[in-house]
Amino acid sequence: MTEKLHAPVIAWFDTHARDLPWRRPEAGPWGVMVSEFMLQQTPVSRVLPVYEQWLARWPRPADLAGEPPGEAVRAWGRLGYPRRALRLHGAALAITERHGGDVPTDHAQLLALPGIGEYTAAAVASFAYGQRHAVLDTNVRRVFARAVSGMQYPPNATTAAERHLARELLPEDERTAARWAAASMELGALVCTAKNEGCQRCPIAPQCAWRLAGKPEHEGPPRRGQTYAGTDRQVRGKLLAVLREAHTPVPQAALDRVWHEPVQRARALDGLVTDGLVEPLPGGLYRLPLT
């Protein structure tokens, strides 16, 4: 079963893979790591311009580590979930201090870096160093759920059963395993999408368990799309936008103007301070963090 999946998916990837900058040899392990942080919950189209600017400014971890964390938050722009910028800055510091400025090759050392979880460690080890690891993102989980388990969608959170299946499906050969990881992810991103899946273009449609079962509807809890308008996330984004544009401390009054509701605005600002994304100063001033 597994070999019947590997060959057609990898062959499809060889022909249809997008030419993305972090897949090019010149990206190096640091470029791969930056892309993995940025691509979490963010589409490729939004990541591309920020990624290019980031690597032009900070081509190595030591370059980023040498600047205040607030500069990482500023450069993150409107990618969303800006705590990722702080985590990436923390990882760059650790790489510089512990590994001589080179992204470590060892999976355990990657996992020990601040801000890096199981997925990112596996992705960097696989995509940057060609190692054999199960790389489970939302796209891969959806491909496996449909092709192997016969379900329209995977569970909301990754389960032990999914991890076991991913390891079972992993090719034995290291190079092939790394290619399979990238290919199955691309298949989920471009063909086996959450909505309007392109089964007619899928290289494994003839053996897809979900398609062969007649595409049964999802039976789990309803899958709700994330809302943004009016949420604390939106308010946090507006407050951070003011601070990113300013290169001197910002008075409270300037932040008060970005959102009409004072209780929600104060809660959002408090959350940014708690998360280390904003630094309060005496006199009611605020800035992006310097330490």
Side-chain angles (χ1 to χ4, degrees):
M1 170 64 176
T2 55
E3 292 180 1
K4 290 181 180 178
L5 293 175
H6 297 155
V9 171
I10 292 173
W12 171 86
F13 183 66
D14 289 343
T15 302
H16 297 283
R18 289 169 291 182
D19 178 22
L20 300 173
W22 44 86
R23 288 180 178 161
R24 298 170 193 159
E26 60 267 26
W30 173 238
V32 171
M33 179 176 283
V34 170
S35 76
E36 288 300 332
F37 272 81
M38 290 185 174
L39 288 165
Q40 294 165 18
Q41 298 177 287
T42 308
V44 166
S45 59
R46 289 180 57 201
V47 166
L48 282 169
V50 181
Y51 173 89
E52 299 279 13
Q53 292 163 11
W54 190 285
L55 267 295
R57 180 174 179 180
W58 298 309
R60 289 183 53 78
D63 300 317
L64 175 58
E67 296 219 36
E71 286 305 300
V73 176
R74 193 189 312 278
W76 199 256
R78 303 189 64 83
L79 281 183
Y81 303 100
R83 275 178 289 183
R84 293 179 292 169
L86 288 183
R87 291 175 185 142
L88 185 50
H89 184 272
L93 275 172
I95 290 168
T96 303
E97 293 168 358
R98 301 177 199 168
H99 303 287
D102 293 322
V103 176
T105 61
D106 181 72
H107 179 268
Q109 290 181 331
L110 286 166
L111 199 53
L113 294 173
I116 290 195
E118 175 58 39
Y119 165 77
T120 305
V124 173
S126 178
F127 302 150
Y129 294 118
Q131 296 176 13
R132 183 179 182 270
H133 293 282
V135 183
L136 269 179
D137 81 334
T138 303
N139 290 315
V140 176
R141 293 174 62 224
R142 187 170 56 251
V143 169
F144 291 175
R146 291 175 179 172
V148 181
S149 304
M151 299 184 299
Q152 185 178 18
Y153 298 118
N156 287 332
T158 307
T159 65
E162 286 182 284
R163 293 189 181 95
H164 177 75
L165 174 61
R167 289 192 295 269
E168 289 285 306
L169 292 175
L170 204 55
E172 289 297 327
D173 174 68
E174 194 168 55
R175 185 178 181 279
T176 307
R179 198 70 176 160
W180 162 252
S184 54
M185 188 177 293
E186 190 80 333
L187 186 66
L190 299 184
V191 176
C192 193
T193 48
K195 296 179 180 178
N196 304 315
E197 64 278 353
C199 296
Q200 71 283 359
R201 297 181 285 115
C202 179
I204 53 173
Q207 53 192 300
C208 173
W210 182 57
R211 191 190 69 84
L212 292 173
K215 294 188 177 180
E217 293 286 330
H218 177 66
E219 292 182 353
R223 299 171 63 83
R224 295 186 179 90
Q226 290 185 334
T227 57
Y228 182 73
T231 63
D232 284 6
R233 272 189 62 218
Q234 184 184 23
V235 185
R236 285 165 61 104
K238 287 181 175 291
L239 293 170
L240 271 183
V242 173
L243 293 161
R244 279 198 311 269
E245 292 299 319
H247 291 272
T248 57
V250 172
Q252 178 78 54
L255 298 176
D256 289 347
R257 287 195 288 269
V258 305
W259 195 254
H260 60 284
E261 209 289 300
V263 174
Q264 187 180 26
R265 186 179 64 234
R267 183 172 66 240
L269 183 57
D270 286 347
L272 289 170
V273 171
T274 300
D275 290 341
L277 289 161
V278 171
E279 185 178 334
L281 301 172
L285 299 173
Y286 296 87
R287 69 183 179 195
L288 296 177
L290 291 181
T291 56

